[in-house]
Amino acid sequence: MGMTEHLQPLVAITGPTASGKSALALALAEELGAEIVTADSRQVYKLMDIGTEKPSVDEQARVPHHMIDVVYPDEPFTLALYQRQAYATINDVLSRGKVPILAGGTPLYVNAVLEGWTIPEVEPDMELRARLEAEAEAHGPEQLHHRLEVLDPGAAAGILPSNTRRIVRALEVIERTGRPISAQQDKVPPAYRILSIVLHCERPELYRRVDLRVDKQIERGLVEEVAGLHARGYEFDLPSMSGIGYRQIGEYLMGRATLEQAIQRMKWDTHAFSRHQGNWFRRAKTALRIDVTEADPLPEARQVVRSFLDGAYPLEGRS
């Protein structure tokens, strides 16, 4: 382990939607004078606040948050771009003598940073994308996902069968390069001393929290937020508008579902996504798991993080 002692620290807090990552990161950051680097593929978009559960103005005033409000909803934003900017941000925070806390629930974003993925830089092929998207529209994305399972089982395992955009991207990379996308994602661990905390919540309680969160988003004006974005010219077929909440409310605004149906679909789709997140984060062998089903994670997390920053916390597999 001796080689890691001189490395600068990075704390990561991850887990499924509604498990309390943001609240824990905020509490720890306030106590430590740390700064939060968000790992959320939706919070990068400006003007999208309620449906992405973006930190409030008050929370952002209390603790500096980075990697939110990076691009407008119609601007492209890739995993490679996120990783590059996240590393630059983490290094900037460390250069100012502060501790960076990587917090978020987008597994790809989290792992691209913590594991140092090398991401294939393949230019988008709009013609191929349009063809694959039309196929998904006609026959359902599951058929494309099955094709991806045959061509690249590793990539397929990390992508929900309903996530058309990412399935299309993986097939695009295979078509353009002739190699599976997973084979092109080598890993070069970044030069940080990493403490990774994964929050776990039993499903019945997690689903209860998710449903409560969805109801609160509707109360806070999610329908108005989505309608406002559409009125500004952001079409419902944009990648940014395909996220949970925006997609279902878009269906309602287009007259394809009642509001009650849209709300129920949001809840079910978030349940499915939380299962996917849980499955993904369970792979993190060296992470510390904290069960938040019935307990506040702050006391245990505080103790472990302070011990880690003092150099005392053991870091298996990080030598």
Side-chain angles (χ1 to χ4, degrees):
M1 189 180 107
M3 288 172 64
T4 66
E5 286 164 7
H6 67 283
L7 297 178
Q8 290 188 289
L10 171 63
V11 175
I13 298 174
T14 62
T17 299
S19 59
K21 302 177 296 292
S22 303
L24 178 60
L26 189 70
L28 287 172
E30 279 198 292
E31 288 185 14
L32 299 168
E35 299 189 13
I36 294 172
V37 181
T38 303
D40 188 297
S41 64
R42 300 295 160 190
Q43 291 185 4
V44 298
Y45 294 112
K46 301 176 186 182
L47 310 173
M48 303 179 83
D49 303 332
I50 298 171
T52 65
E53 285 289 320
K54 207 172 277 175
S56 67
V57 174
D58 169 60
E59 288 166 340
Q60 292 187 52
R62 283 156 56 194
V63 168
H65 286 70
H66 306 278
M67 298 307 294
I68 57 176
D69 295 330
V70 181
V71 291
Y72 282 99
D74 57 351
E75 293 180 291
F77 194 79
T78 63
L79 178 63
L81 201 55
Y82 172 80
Q83 184 196 48
R84 201 157 52 236
Q85 292 189 22
Y87 280 145
T89 302
I90 289 165
N91 294 337
D92 175 58
V93 171
L94 288 167
S95 75
R96 291 184 279 104
K98 303 282 189 182
V99 175
I101 298 179
L102 184 75
T106 301
L108 281 178
Y109 280 23
V110 172
N111 290 328
V113 171
L114 296 186
E115 298 178 353
W117 292 3
T118 55
I119 300 159
E121 295 275 2
V122 175
E123 288 297 312
D125 180 334
M126 302 320 283
E127 200 175 308
L128 174 62
R129 280 189 185 184
R131 195 168 76 242
L132 291 170
E133 282 163 6
E135 211 175 305
E137 188 74 30
H139 306 292
E142 294 78 11
Q143 189 168 308
L144 285 185
H145 191 267
H146 180 66
R147 187 183 310 166
L148 184 61
E149 280 179 329
V150 174
L151 294 171
D152 188 352
I159 300 176
L160 278 175
S162 59
N163 193 331
T164 305
R165 190 164 57 93
R166 287 196 43 224
I167 296 167
V168 165
R169 175 59 178 164
L171 290 170
E172 176 184 47
V173 171
I174 295 166
E175 176 106 356
R176 293 290 303 279
T177 65
R179 295 173 59 218
I181 188 170
S182 58
Q184 299 178 58
Q185 290 175 327
D186 298 326
K187 295 173 184 177
V188 182
Y192 308 120
R193 202 166 63 89
I194 296 171
L195 169 66
S196 183
I197 295 172
V198 175
L199 302 186
H200 170 77
C201 187
E202 291 297 329
R203 278 183 188 168
E205 171 60 13
L206 187 64
Y207 292 170
R208 188 191 69 78
R209 294 186 194 186
V210 163
D211 293 351
L212 191 63
R213 170 182 283 198
V214 169
D215 290 337
K216 284 186 175 169
Q217 288 178 337
I218 297 298
E219 283 171 27
R220 287 167 55 206
L222 179 60
V223 174
E224 292 77 7
E225 178 171 277
V226 180
L229 286 162
H230 192 245
R232 282 172 175 257
Y234 298 118
E235 297 299 332
F236 291 122
D237 60 357
L238 284 170
S240 60
M241 296 287 270
S242 71
I244 295 175
Y246 297 90
R247 183 174 68 249
Q248 295 83 354
I249 297 302
E251 292 287 307
Y252 160 65
L253 292 171
M254 288 186 284
R256 296 178 185 169
T258 65
L259 183 56
E260 289 70 26
Q261 287 169 334
I263 292 169
Q264 188 58 62
R265 178 53 62 192
M266 276 177 69
K267 292 175 180 178
W268 285 337
D269 286 353
T270 310
H271 296 173
F273 181 56
S274 71
R275 291 194 297 273
H276 171 67
Q277 290 170 303
N279 293 341
W280 192 290
F281 290 130
R282 263 194 290 279
R283 300 177 192 169
K285 298 288 184 283
T286 59
L288 168 76
R289 278 169 179 70
I290 300 182
D291 195 309
V292 300
T293 310
E294 294 175 5
D296 177 359
L298 182 58
E300 185 179 351
R302 177 194 287 129
Q303 188 180 357
V304 170
V305 170
R306 288 190 183 281
S307 170
F308 166 74
L309 294 175
D310 289 342
Y313 186 75
L315 297 165
E316 310 92 328
R318 289 283 173 192
S319 55

